[in-house]
Amino acid sequence: MTAVEDRPTTEAPEREVGKARRRKEDARLITGRTTWTDNMVLPGMLHLAVVRSPVAHAKISSIDTSVAQEAPGVVAVLTGRDVADEQGSIPCAWPVTPDMVNPGHPSIAVDEVNHVGEAVAVIVARSKAAAQDAVELVDVDYDLLPAVLDMEEATGQDPDLCHDHLESNRSFHFVFDGGEAGTGADTDQVFADAEVVVSRRFVQQRLIPAFMEPRSVVVQPQGDNYTMWSSTQVPHILRIMLAMVTGVPEHKLRVVAPDVGGGFGGKLQVTPEEVISLLVARRLGKPVKWTETRSESLMTAHHGRDQIQYIDIASDREGNVKGLRCRILADMGAYLRLVSPGVPVLGAFMFNGIYKFDAYRFECDGVFTNKTPTDAYRGAGRPEATFAIERIMDELAVELGMDPLELRRKNWIKAEEFPFTTVAGMTYDSGDYETATQQALELLGYDELRAEQQRRRESNDPVQLGIGFSTFTEMCGLAPSRVLGSLSYGAGGWEHAAIRMLPTGKVEVVTGSTPHGQGHETAWSQLVADRLGVPFEDVEVLHGDTSVAPRGLDTYGSRSLVVGGAAVVNAAEKVVAKARRVAAHLLEASEDDLDYTGGKFSVRGTPGSEVSIQEIALATFAAHNFPEGVEPSIDADATFDPENFSFPHGTHVCAMEVDTETGMVKIRKYACVDDVGTIVNPLIVEGQVHGGLAQGIAQALFEEAVYDADGNLTTGTFVDYLVPSAADLPHFDTGNTVHEAPGNPIGAKGVGEAGCIASTPAVVNAALDAVRHLGVRDIRMPLTPERVWRALHDGGDGGDRATAGTNAYGGAQTETTAGVSTPQSALGGDR
Amino acid sequence: MIPAAFEYARPTTVDEALQAIAAGGDDVKVLAGGQSLIPVMRLRLAAPETVVDLGRVAELRGVRDDGDAIVIGAMTTHHDVMTDPLVQQYAPLIAEATETVADRQVRARGTFGGALVHADPAGDLPAVALALDAEFVIAGLEGRRTVSAGEFFVDYLTTAVEEGELLVEIRVPKLAGEWGMRYEKFNRVAQAWSIVAVAAVVRRENGHIAEARIGLTNMGSTPLRATAVEAALAGAQASPETIAAAARSAAEGTSPSSDLNAQADYREHLAQVLTRRAVTAAAGL
């Protein structure tokens, strides 16, 4: 036996990255036995309820709070007038153009309301029930103004104005022109020279993020300090913004996002209710809580999407694409919130998709309407871009008589061409569209389904079959700070992490990327276990509290692993580097002679001479025997600022059955192959893809926030706003290719939004493929059975839906779920 | 959301329940499974003065054989109805339709009688009761009375149950002969109410349809019978062509509403397609 074999080594721990670990945080999240904000009870806590406008647009002529003030348990009733001097404006951090118009956004309306659900007063009471009871006792008189609801009318001739102190309903006009930017040819010239031009108008309906946990805020004053617990995605951003809005100094404000039950972008916000809660706590010197009802959430938490897209594509007759021109109307709703204007701008550089265009021009008008403000929703700008390009590629294929996949293949970036700088100026990092596509076709059983489609057509089967593609890419890892700066965003895009080695050898990882259901605690533990060579179970991940994780930019834009995880890895490398000096001292060896594997430093060529990271942690704590001139700490932190975005891609293929008798559409099979770079935890990736698919399919088939002619939200409960459940979705056949992202030490590209971005056009393309031979050219989303039936029988895109809520459930609409109906709005239809 | 304050009574017998209703003031709501009442109270669409909770009235639960009929207690839960052997044997249409009601959690609490007396035109069970010629036993302080399904559903959310009365049980006649049944439900997501649905009950005799009874869900303010289709099918040959021709009259005499899910003309179209499908299946074709 050799000396090496005699070493009492333990096996190096199994590699954690790549292991499909179950999430360590799930037991507490699923059972709810955790720190949801609404679970919090503080001594003497008061409860808030918000009085909301039942009309879309009006001057407030009077508010009488006297009866409510006298109601049992009521402590105070505050109107917008009462807080006008201290409430400031809800901030917009993304002035996308220098001349962007921001009308200002009071947390409680003072003179005018601009959407149904806007806060007009707040009740403070000793119990939630008392607060709720008093809401009905506040008497508000409104002088009605015309409601601006339609973006095309709002930007047309002599429109009514959403804000009468502004000159128009336009907030901004943002342009990216590849010719002017030097990233492409002159767009007008390319279109003038083109052999084929196809133009379409697509509608991105308004959606509601519909996170599982309703929003909740608790504020505790302590002298002139305030602690806010909020169900937010962005405690760090919230702290800065609250300080700026309310004047409470930043260092006197601590914000905690405890466990948060989902957000999908819907909690990437500084909400009126957060500001109101802080103002009330400051004024009364008492802890307060506000928790929304589901109806309030659907009506007043920010909405998403809502664009009208005019898309022109130019090509030659052989199907080589030449130019792309996009004109977008983006509905801001009544006010600008945190990143409302930035959402369409995030899409501005992605409409060209994976294709090689010579010329590209994007222009977008941000439009005010008397509806709930829009802002980030899963994908934020990129689903809109992906939908437009993947739909117009199908339309071009039809025009050219080409197979839609052949047209894509002819124009997409080839694997050997990466890194590739696009006509929009983005440098795509890595990928292989052909391989992903081949795998997706195999997963679907493409040839067999095409044959069945043919059989059904020939036999004139009432149930027709169609197949739709989405060969997509997106940009993730928000974001390189310099790029954000060039787009006038108000902050950077870096992320921070710190690692603390505890005396017993356990590890605390502090991350500035605040999870709200993504599984950071598990994934970060896997990353750190590998880098430090410690057991997975020995790692604890701390997050979400600005006094625990003081630096961070939180979670959105598929950034957590790509940016936040990279910071964690870099911090771990620094810990190892510091520990190496200590190890060299303890082992009386040169740092250069040390190997570090499996959590142990050993001296090369000197068997049996080793020290573990845990032993070093204890030695550092004691600091009895430490190298000269070295501070006794091996803790480290790191801030990672990416140089480029990462660009996940994939091919999604949907096979759709359309019952031509009823218009019912049903997904027969769905296959997708995503390249999200290195996969840290396959189970989490699979879960993210499934959830994303559910939401992307939901946009195609189920969800739409519908307003009636008076600006009432008629989809104010889950009876009318249809969020699909597992029962309504097919089995998903998923796969991956792996091309590492070169821009971060993990090689990950981001997966949080991929499924949601990719799936919507695949589903719509599939439905159209099933019925195009019957004369259908387009069907508006969501593809309700009625719309599909009308498109089949009357032509057109299926038309407008009736705006009345369903009569089922007692026509479950009230002033608090919809607003006030008038004969004109026909709210509730025949109920 | 939090309901407005209300008085609460929890009787243990039908008599006690009737007393509680009588004593409850002007606006009394009876709580069965609560799957409709609690949400509308939480939305403050309803703010009753008194809620009379029937949860402890044991005599209202269960299914029993009563000779030529089966009798379903008004407080029998959807789950218990679906899985009851008598229902499965004599009225499988009820089991089939009940399986489509909402989701598992709702079916565990919601009750057969509660769903019927709520008389939601989008609810599944009223049209089924109509197609099966069920009878409704209503108790009052003065005694009990029985009304037919046709008389029971009066208007939108309105039944023949008068103030102070209580629906106590539903009698479903046992059908003699060779019967086939089918409930065709059309909705967008699994737990949703019907946009339109059709309950078909067909008696076959020597390759013919001797009798057809067709109940329509959500084609008006009450459940309706498709009488024109029934007339066209009576004695007709059981063939796809005959059934398709008859089903074209399915929307006659209906007045469906227009809402987010469907406008009236589309509902009329759906009624025809679904009637054809339901009758075809019930006729065993």
Side-chain angles (χ1 to χ4, degrees), chain A residues 315-566:
Chain A
S315 84
D316 64 18
R317 295 224 170 275
E318 288 69 48
N320 298 297
V321 298
K322 301 293 184 187
L324 185 68
R325 208 160 46 192
C326 308
R327 191 165 70 78
I328 308 295
L329 296 178
D331 194 344
M332 300 290 103
Y335 298 107
L336 301 181
R337 286 212 177 154
L338 189 62
V339 296
S340 305
V343 170
V345 171
L346 276 173
F349 305 92
M350 297 308 294
F351 275 76
N352 49 303
I354 63 170
Y355 311 110
K356 294 184 279 188
F357 285 94
D358 297 337
Y360 172 59
R361 180 180 169 84
F362 170 94
E363 52 189 307
C364 173
D365 286 312
V367 182
F368 292 118
T369 61
N370 292 112
K371 298 180 186 175
T372 299
T374 64
D375 207 309
Y377 175 51
R378 201 171 192 173
R382 292 152 289 155
E384 296 91 318
T386 301
F387 183 84
I389 184 64
E390 290 303 303
R391 280 286 297 111
I392 200 83
M393 287 299 279
D394 264 30
E395 296 296 311
L396 178 62
V398 170
E399 180 71 24
L400 295 169
M402 280 181 78
D403 179 272
L405 195 51
E406 280 317 302
L407 178 68
R408 285 171 167 80
R409 189 173 271 131
K410 192 165 199 157
N411 290 288
W412 69 40
I413 299 157
K414 304 283 185 292
E416 61 274 17
E417 293 176 303
F418 288 97
F420 183 90
T421 301
T422 71
V423 72
M426 307 299 286
T427 301
Y428 291 0
D429 50 1
S430 66
D432 180 350
Y433 305 143
E434 179 63 43
T435 303
T437 301
Q438 282 306 333
Q439 282 190 27
L441 294 179
E442 282 162 30
L443 275 178
L444 188 81
Y446 180 67
D447 294 336
E448 210 170 290
L449 284 167
R450 275 286 188 223
E452 181 183 332
Q453 177 183 37
Q454 195 56 36
R455 286 198 300 277
R456 285 179 184 267
R457 279 198 194 175
E458 283 162 6
S459 67
N460 206 17
D461 195 309
V463 178
Q464 290 289 311
L465 186 65
I467 299 174
F469 296 98
S470 172
T471 51
F472 87 108
T473 189
E474 55 145 335
M475 58 179 205
C476 281
L478 268 50
S481 296
R482 273 169 296 182
V483 175
L484 291 179
S486 73
L487 292 171
S488 311
Y489 180 59
W494 48 263
E495 194 47 84
H496 178 259
I499 294 180
R500 303 199 285 249
M501 295 301 301
L502 305 182
T504 56
K506 310 297 184 192
V507 184
E508 283 179 341
V509 176
V510 180
T511 179
S513 171
T514 304
H516 46 283
Q518 289 83 357
H520 290 43
E521 290 175 26
T522 301
W524 280 209
S525 297
Q526 289 180 271
L527 289 173
V528 169
D530 272 2
R531 297 284 168 158
L532 295 184
V534 299
F536 171 84
E537 294 76 12
D538 286 1
V539 183
E540 189 70 14
V541 179
L542 308 176
H543 52 76
D545 181 338
T546 59
S547 67
V548 171
R551 301 189 70 223
L553 284 167
D554 307 315
T555 290
Y556 42 85
S558 303
R559 69 188 304 271
S560 291
L561 185 62
V562 179
V563 188

Side-chain angles (χ1 to χ4, degrees), chain A residues 128-129 132-133 136 293 295 659 661-664 701-702 706 714-715 717 719-720 722-725 727-728 782 784-786 789-790 800-814 816-817 829-831, chain B residues 1-5 35-36 38-40 43-45 118 120-123 156-157 186-195 218 220-221 255-267 269-270 273-274 276-277:
Chain A
K128 190 173 176 177
Q132 201 63 56
D133 285 345
E136 294 164 12
T293 65
S295 306
D659 182 338
E661 290 184 333
T662 63
M664 181 61 94
L701 301 185
F702 301 115
V706 177
T714 53
T715 51
T717 71
V719 174
D720 287 317
L722 287 192
V723 177
S725 70
D728 308 304
T784 67
E786 179 176 20
W789 178 75
R790 286 195 192 283
D800 289 325
R801 302 162 72 188
T803 56
T806 175
N807 63 345
Y809 200 56
Q813 294 187 331
T814 70
T816 57
T817 67
D830 301 337
R831 73 195 165 94
Chain B
M1 188 119 175
I2 300 167
Q35 299 305 293
S36 296
I38 300 284
V40 298
L43 289 165
R44 300 202 175 189
L45 270 169
H118 185 50
D120 187 333
Y156 183 72
L157 306 183
F186 192 83
N187 59 3
R188 288 177 62 206
V189 294
Q191 79 279 14
W193 278 263
S194 290
I195 296 172
N218 214 8
S221 57
S255 52
S257 63
S258 287
D259 62 35
L260 285 168
N261 290 319
Q263 295 172 57
D265 61 333
Y266 175 57
R267 280 202 160 89
H269 167 78
L270 283 177
V273 175
L274 300 175
R276 191 193 75 222
R277 291 179 181 179

Side-chain angles (χ1 to χ4, degrees), chain B:
Chain B
M1 188 119 175
I2 300 167
F6 55 88
E7 297 296 321
Y8 178 74
R10 190 157 59 179
T12 56
T13 66
V14 170
D15 286 342
E16 279 178 24
L18 290 168
Q19 298 290 348
I21 293 168
D26 288 340
D27 188 3
V28 182
K29 286 280 180 198
V30 174
L31 177 68
Q35 299 305 293
S36 296
L37 180 60
I38 300 284
V40 298
M41 285 174 64
R42 284 164 60 91
L43 289 165
R44 300 202 175 189
L45 270 169
E49 187 179 336
T50 305
V51 171
V52 177
D53 180 355
L54 301 183
R56 293 200 173 170
V57 183
E59 63 189 288
L60 291 178
R61 291 188 191 271
V63 183
R64 69 173 198 274
D65 192 326
D66 192 32
D68 58 353
I70 60 170
V71 180
I72 305 174
M75 284 293 290
T76 313
T77 64
H78 295 310
H79 169 269
D80 289 350
V81 168
M82 266 164 57
T83 50
D84 187 90
L86 288 171
V87 172
Q88 288 178 347
Q89 184 180 351
Y90 293 109
L93 183 66
I94 292 176
E96 187 192 350
T98 303
E99 272 180 51
T100 73
V101 170
D103 54 37
R104 198 174 282 268
Q105 288 87 338
V106 169
R107 293 194 294 269
R109 286 187 173 274
T111 65
F112 188 63
L116 289 167
V117 81
H118 185 50
D120 187 333
D124 297 295
L125 300 173
V128 168
L130 203 58
L132 290 172
D133 280 345
E135 292 178 325
F136 293 74
V137 181
I138 298 166
L141 285 172
E142 312 300 317
R144 298 194 171 198
R145 63 193 179 100
T146 300
V147 301
S148 70
E151 296 163 328
F152 184 75
F153 299 104
V154 173
D155 201 350
Y156 183 72
L157 306 183
T158 308
T159 68
V161 177
E162 300 287 344
E163 222 168 277
E165 290 187 321
L166 196 61
L167 173 67
V168 289
E169 59 192 30
I170 298 92
R171 301 175 58 86
V172 183
K174 292 179 183 172
L175 299 173
E178 190 194 344
W179 289 85
M181 305 179 188
R182 177 70 159 205
Y183 191 63
E184 277 286 333
K185 177 165 176 168
F186 192 83
N187 59 3
R188 288 177 62 206
V189 294
Q191 79 279 14
W193 278 263
S194 290
I195 296 172
V196 175
V198 176
V201 182
V202 171
R203 182 160 62 86
R204 292 165 299 205
E205 218 171 58
N206 306 323
H208 285 68
I209 295 174
E211 183 185 354
R213 301 189 209 148
I214 296 156
L216 304 176
T217 297
N218 214 8
M219 287 297 291
S221 57
T222 63
L224 299 170
R225 286 278 283 263
T227 48
V229 182
E230 291 176 358
L233 287 174
Q237 203 189 348
S239 75
E241 296 74 24
T242 322
I243 292 169
R248 283 190 203 109
S249 321
E252 270 180 33
T254 65
S255 52
S257 63
S258 287
D259 62 35
L260 285 168
N261 290 319
Q263 295 172 57
D265 61 333
Y266 175 57
R267 280 202 160 89
E268 289 170 359
H269 167 78
L270 283 177
Q272 297 170 30
V273 175
L274 300 175
T275 297
R276 191 193 75 222
R277 291 179 181 179
V279 173
T280 301
L285 296 181

Side-chain angles (χ1 to χ4, degrees), chain A residues 23 31 46 91 107 147 153 164 195 216 226 333 394 398 424 455 460 471 521 536 607 633 673 688 690 714 751:
Chain A
R23 307 196 318 180
T31 58
L46 301 174
S107 289
E153 285 174 18
D164 56 11
E195 293 172 356
S216 181
Y226 300 90
D394 264 30
V398 170
R455 286 198 300 277
N460 206 17
T471 51
E521 290 175 26
F536 171 84
S633 168
V673 172
Q688 285 282 2
H690 280 218
T714 53
V751 68

